[in-house]
């Protein structure tokens, strides 16, 4: 395993590896930048085949958090944690792994960084896990109870995604979303809420998910048309909103997507940067994911910075929408892709 030679290494300020044989903890925390403040980003629990994959993930995701936090106008740098899911089932019996013990161990490791990195809930984690970590360290945010708790960030993320879609539609199509069709991939915490907002604004929905329950609900509540997982890419729609997985904009899906606009919550939607250019050549306006989905970290940042209030979150969320508007205007004027413009803005804001 090499760090400096890893293709995703981007002059990260520090990369930490943690190991506890008693609890089976194997985790990485990467601090990409503290230029704007202490680093912050979620903690992910995921099954990785090899630790190199976990390292690549933490390097890539922490860099993304630097960009996201900078674009959201936060006094936070970028960091991320990944915990490698131990093999076997959960449980206190021999051979299993004890989830609480695992996150107690992780919480102690995190505390040793003395506030260089703040964590929050990410893929594979639950509010209970966050409470276990919080028992060991104060460098945790996005909690659902306690004095400064900001609660579930997903509704704020969904709000930002919805506003970004409305903005992109106005810029590209010169109209509102009423009567337009939107394909939403993934109806989880964020995607379902995005659907509710779009439905409320009069849009027609085409949706997919692996979870049949949410699909049934979306059909009943929003009159959404349900399609198979893979068919979402072929949907004949005005807008495509990826709210499930990363890297779904790739060589395979590119020829199939017919939408005029792509704006969704999923992180790292472009499989490689070059796809951004290819989307533009197809006449598709791609809204940079880390600008569109910054609502969640804005909500969490209020808790870290100690000034959480709905008004503060609203001000920051409006600010990131203004930034997105600047990016889209500059892209329209110069013919350069929105994702490249966003990257350059983010790099300038973190002094790179
Ligand atoms: P979630 O786990 O609640 O929802 C994800 C949904 O996608 C689930 O319903 C799942 O069943 C579905 N899904 C999984 N595989 C799928 C597939 N192949 N095709 C279609 N659907 C599939 O997650 P979330 O909190 O809603 O986040 C969604 C995305 O947005 C993630 O990529 C996350 O990293 C990103 N994001 C979330 C937030 C937030 O505040 N929650 C903030 C920023 C970015």
């Amino acid at each position: 395993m090499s760090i400096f030679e890893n293709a995703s290494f981007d002059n990260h300020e520090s990369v930490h590896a943690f190991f506890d044989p008693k609890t089976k903890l194997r985790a990485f925390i990467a601090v990409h930048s503290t230029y704007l403040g202490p680093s912050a980003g979620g903690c992910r629990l995921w099954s990785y085949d090899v630790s190199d994959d976990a390292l690549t993930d933490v390097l890539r995701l922490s860099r993304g958090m630097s960009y996201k936090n900078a674009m959201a106008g936060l006094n936070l740098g970028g960091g991320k944690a990944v915990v490698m899911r131990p093999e076997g089932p959960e449980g206190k019996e021999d051979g299993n792994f004890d989830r609480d013990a695992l996150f107690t161990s992780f919480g102690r490791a995190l505390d040793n960084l003395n506030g260089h990195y703040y964590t929050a809930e990410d893929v594979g984690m639950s509010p209970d896990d966050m409470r276990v970590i919080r028992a060991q360290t104060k460098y945790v945010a996005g909690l659902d109870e306690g004095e400064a708790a900001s609660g579930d960030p997903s509704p704020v993320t969904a709000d930002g995604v919805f506003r970004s879609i409305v903005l992109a539609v106005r810029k590209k199509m010169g109209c509102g979303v009423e009567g337009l069709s939107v394909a939403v991939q993934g109806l989880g915490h964020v995607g379902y809420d995005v659907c509710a907002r779009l439905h409320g604004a009069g849009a027609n929905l085409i949706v997919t998910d692996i979870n049949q329950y949410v699909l049934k609900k979306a059909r009943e509540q929003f009159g959404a048309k349900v399609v198979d997982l893979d068919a979402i890419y072929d949907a004949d729609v005005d807008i495509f909103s990826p709210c499930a997985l990363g890297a779904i904009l790739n060589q395979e899906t590119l020829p199939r997507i017919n939408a005029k606009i792509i704006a969704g919550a999923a992180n790292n939607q472009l499989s490689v940067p070059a796809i951004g250019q290819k989307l533009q050549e197809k006449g598709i306006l791609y809204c940079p994911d880390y600008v569109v989905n910054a609502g969640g970290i804005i909500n969490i940042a209020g808790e870290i910075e100690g000034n959480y209030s709905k008004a503060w979150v609203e001000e920051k969320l409006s600010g990131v929408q203004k930034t997105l508007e600047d990016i889209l205007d500059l892209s329209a004027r110069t013919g350069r892709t929105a994702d490249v413009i966003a990257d350059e803005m983010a790099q300038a804001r973190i002094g790179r």
Side-chain angles (χ1 to χ4, degrees):
M1 185 176 61
S2 56
I3 295 177
F4 303 121
E5 291 75 22
N6 188 302
S8 297
F9 179 74
D10 177 48
N11 294 328
H12 286 69
E13 287 180 16
S14 61
V15 182
H16 311 261
F18 300 98
F19 175 59
D20 182 349
K22 279 202 214 88
T23 62
K24 304 188 178 176
L25 175 76
R26 288 186 299 161
F28 291 107
I29 294 176
V31 175
H32 177 256
S33 167
T34 55
Y35 185 82
L36 294 171
S39 71
C43 174
R44 174 169 291 198
L45 176 71
W46 198 250
S47 294
Y48 295 95
D49 291 337
V50 290
S51 58
D52 263 341
D53 292 349
L55 176 66
T56 298
D57 227 14
V58 82
L59 291 174
R60 204 170 43 87
L61 292 165
S62 56
R63 174 179 178 269
M65 286 312 302
S66 284
Y67 285 21
K68 188 186 300 200
N69 294 343
M71 295 305 264
L74 302 172
N75 296 322
L76 293 175
K80 197 87 184 182
V82 300
V83 177
M84 296 178 68
R85 194 176 208 287
E87 281 175 18
E90 285 169 37
K92 307 226 183 264
E93 306 79 26
D94 268 0
N96 297 351
F97 79 90
D98 180 339
R99 197 168 172 116
D100 286 357
L102 182 76
F103 287 117
T104 298
S105 189
F106 174 76
R108 282 198 206 112
L110 167 58
D111 197 56
N112 286 334
L113 297 186
N114 290 320
H116 229 51
Y117 164 68
Y118 280 78
T119 203
E121 193 177 325
D122 196 58
V123 178
M125 305 285 291
S126 72
D128 281 345
D129 298 331
M130 302 319 291
R131 277 190 282 275
V132 171
I133 297 170
R134 180 67 180 85
Q136 302 302 321
T137 178
K138 61 183 180 197
Y139 305 118
V140 185
L143 297 164
D144 56 4
E145 56 190 31
E147 233 173 77
S150 58
D152 180 6
S154 304
V156 187
T157 305
D159 191 1
V161 174
F162 173 70
R163 290 191 205 191
S164 301
I165 291 174
V166 170
L167 174 65
V169 166
R170 180 160 55 79
K171 292 280 167 192
K172 170 107 180 154
M173 302 172 70
C175 60
V177 293
E178 189 174 359
L180 298 187
S181 51
V182 189
V184 181
Q185 181 184 46
L187 306 186
H189 292 100
V190 180
Y192 199 86
D193 194 336
V194 170
C195 284
R197 288 167 201 263
L198 286 167
H199 175 68
N204 302 311
L205 300 168
I206 297 184
V207 299
T208 195
D209 198 294
I210 50 177
N211 178 342
Q212 295 303 314
Y213 171 72
V214 291
L215 292 176
K216 181 170 176 284
K217 242 175 50 168
R219 202 186 285 123
E220 287 167 5
Q221 286 193 340
F222 313 135
K225 180 180 171 199
V226 172
V227 296
D228 287 343
L229 289 179
D230 193 52
I232 200 77
Y233 300 112
D234 304 312
D236 189 13
V237 287
D238 298 296
I239 301 131
F240 175 40
S241 186
C243 294
L245 314 160
I248 37 83
L249 304 175
N250 53 47
Q251 291 293 1
E252 200 267 311
T253 59
L254 185 71
R256 299 167 57 190
I257 297 173
N258 291 307
K260 299 176 187 73
I261 292 164
I262 299 177
N267 285 311
N268 301 316
Q269 293 168 29
L270 301 174
S271 59
V272 289
I275 296 288
Q277 180 64 33
K278 298 241 167 68
L279 288 169
Q280 173 154 300
E281 284 162 13
K282 272 193 79 174
I284 299 172
L285 174 59
Y286 168 70
C287 299
D289 46 20
Y290 59 84
V291 183
V292 171
N293 70 17
I297 192 68
I298 287 174
N299 204 55
I300 288 166
E303 194 177 319
I304 297 173
E305 295 187 19
N307 45 11
Y308 179 78
S309 73
K310 292 231 167 352
W312 186 87
V313 170
E314 174 53 36
E315 187 196 319
K316 290 289 176 193
L317 199 56
S318 303
V320 82
Q321 288 301 307
K322 174 75 182 67
T323 300
L324 180 61
E325 185 163 15
D326 291 346
I327 292 167
L328 299 187
D329 286 346
L330 193 57
S331 174
R333 272 205 312 278
T334 61
R336 301 172 68 229
T337 63
D339 53 294
V340 168
I341 292 171
D343 281 359
E344 285 175 4
M345 277 188 184
Q347 282 156 5
R349 289 186 185 189
I350 61 170
R352 300 231 174 167

